Amino acid sequence: MTDTDAPQGGRKTAEMFFDPMCPWAWMTSRWMMQVEQVRDVDVTWSVMSLSVLNEGRDLPQSYREMLDRGWLPVRTVIAAELSVPQDERNDVRKKLYDAMGQRIHLEGRGRDEKDLRQVCVEALEDAGLPADLIDRAENVPGDEVDQALRASHQRAIDLVGDEVGTPVVAFEGVAFFGPVVTPAPKGEAAGKLWDGCLLVAGTPGFYELKRTRDADPDFS
């Protein structure tokens, strides 16, 4: 890698907060995977929850139904990470996210509670984890999984504020909602977007760039 490729110099860190149900987070995660191939960056994959974020809000019924289903995937990830040593948790989160996202976003599954539960069971099996962790992932307000989920979600909110959704990405500790992008840039295009995100993250007082989305997520 040349100095031109990585003008900021040195190995960088990023943390991406995802909810497996969010298609835009999925797009951003695919971009981050491309970034890992063309830039020197260590990525931490962490959970935030649209279900937690939207508790108590007046929302359209169809979206509320999705949020009601959405507790199970994030709780599955948290239940799984709690079952392994600390140094294995990032890998477990990423494996489960990939397995869930493949089924939810690329295969169109999980549109009802029964199939979404099966998606989570299959993801656990793909990650080499016990399928019976799904029992621990069932929604039990206030249990250990719930507390850990809310703590992870709150960490994202503490970094970025509460006027956002998913995805949230922290660049060298400076977090933003986004980038929201479709299709996910590949190769050097992914690297250039990363470079730009580092530049704005390094600008004191920079908060937001935004325009109206006129395209749906492109999973191709």
Side-chain angles (χ1 to χ4, degrees), residues 93-112:
R93 288 190 293 265
K94 181 59 164 53
K95 285 181 177 179
L96 284 174
Y97 184 34
D98 288 344
M100 290 178 183
Q102 169 72 30
R103 291 166 171 82
I104 293 170
H105 302 301
L106 303 188
E107 299 174 13
R109 293 183 54 194
R111 303 299 173 86
D112 60 68

Side-chain angles (χ1 to χ4, degrees), residues 78-91:
I78 296 296
E81 74 165 53
L82 293 176
S83 75
V84 300
Q86 186 72 40
D87 62 355
E88 298 177 16
R89 291 182 177 181
N90 190 53
D91 186 52

